[in-house]
């Protein structure tokens, strides 16, 4: 605290840098890259065949001209993670809009 006058104090908060987050992000990228490389080296492919029908249906629905490849495990994992993040973002955005609409409409629904 800095003393300005007898009756006034100013609290100076420390600024936290983004450095720990950048370290976490860097470690996460390295771990995902190593995991994808390890999955690609496995003789049994299990992530690619699971992702293939889902990706084929989505491509047929949204991009009819696209050809869907059967990906190895690591590549399929790197495609699956952003796909899941996109579906989660769509879900939470829709849920938030529905809740906001219900909050706005709640006073009008119960009245007759």
């Amino acid at each position: 605290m800095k003393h300005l006058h007898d009756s006034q104090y100013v609290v100076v908060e420390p600024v936290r840098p983004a450095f720990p987050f950048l370290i976490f992000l860097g470690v996460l990228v390295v771990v995902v890259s190593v995991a994808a490389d390890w999955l690609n080296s496995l003789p049994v492919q299990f992530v690619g065949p699971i992702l293939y029908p889902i990706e084929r249906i989505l491509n047929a629905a949204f991009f009819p001209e696209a050809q869907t490849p059967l990906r190895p495990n690591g590549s399929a994992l790197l495609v699956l993670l952003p796909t899941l993040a996109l579906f989660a973002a769509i879900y939470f955005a829709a849920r938030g809009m529905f809740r906001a609409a219900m909050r706005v409409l709640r006073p009008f629904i119960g009245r007759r």
Side-chain angles (χ1 to χ4, degrees):
M1 273 195 230
K2 289 184 175 180
H3 181 70
L4 292 179
H5 296 292
D6 291 334
S7 64
Q8 294 179 345
Y9 288 93
V10 175
V11 177
V12 179
E13 295 288 331
V15 177
R16 295 186 65 204
F19 189 67
F21 173 72
L22 293 178
I23 290 176
F24 172 75
L25 192 62
V27 169
L28 183 68
V29 166
V30 169
V31 167
V32 168
S33 300
V34 169
D37 189 40
W38 175 74
L39 283 171
N40 276 341
S41 68
L42 292 177
V44 177
Q45 300 297 318
F46 56 92
V47 180
I50 292 172
L51 179 66
Y52 179 76
I54 299 167
E55 190 177 2
R56 184 162 173 107
I57 291 170
L58 290 174
N59 280 346
F62 297 109
F63 309 105
E65 306 86 30
Q67 295 202 2
T68 306
L70 180 60
R71 301 176 195 278
N73 285 333
S75 301
L77 179 69
L78 293 178
V79 169
L80 184 63
L81 291 176
T83 304
L84 291 177
L86 176 66
F87 284 140
I90 291 170
Y91 168 74
F92 286 117
R95 191 174 91 176
M97 287 189 296
F98 178 74
R99 286 185 177 183
M102 291 306 293
R103 238 181 225 169
V104 169
L105 296 175
R106 184 171 291 145
F108 304 108
I109 292 174
R111 296 183 185 172
R112 295 200 183 221

